[in-house]
Amino acid sequence: MPRASKASPALDALSNAERAAALDRLLDRRPDLLPEAEVVATELLTDVDRDDVADEVVDGLARTAAAGFTDAATDIGFGLLLGLYRLREGAGEDTLIGWCGADQESWELATSVVLAFDDAGLDPGSETVNALVPDWSAIA
């Protein structure tokens, strides 16, 4: 989300893509700011809150459904289910999800996605879900 700036109505009016272009131009003009920009970029990439990520995913699905784009919201949910399903396949014991028990952890996360379908007022259809993630037939 763009941060409001009291001093710059022009910056406030920029889209995220335009802000990115402005940063590129600024760094082209002021290469001395590159080390500081790298520090800020590193902070943004490493300061991740898993609850914020989860909220963004669920809120995005719910917002899309609430706007009437139920097919798109359903596809978001299906993408999440399929991603979790594929994640368990490559989860070796040297990964966190593999160590925790890939099938169990992925399945529990997937049940949360199914609950998000319900919360968004969507019916993904059990046959479709079962075809998408066949080893999790009890999920839908």
Side-chain angles (χ1 to χ4, degrees), residues 82-107:
L82 193 54
L84 290 167
Y85 193 75
R86 289 179 181 168
L87 178 66
R88 71 173 177 75
E89 293 171 350
E93 289 185 17
D94 59 336
T95 65
L96 178 60
I97 199 161
W99 179 78
C100 294
D103 284 333
Q104 183 63 29
E105 291 296 316
S106 299
W107 191 86

Side-chain angles (χ1 to χ4, degrees), residues 10 14 16 27 61 64 85 105 118 139:
L14 295 179
N16 287 337
L27 292 175
L61 189 144
T64 303
Y85 193 75
E105 291 296 316
D118 291 338
I139 203 165

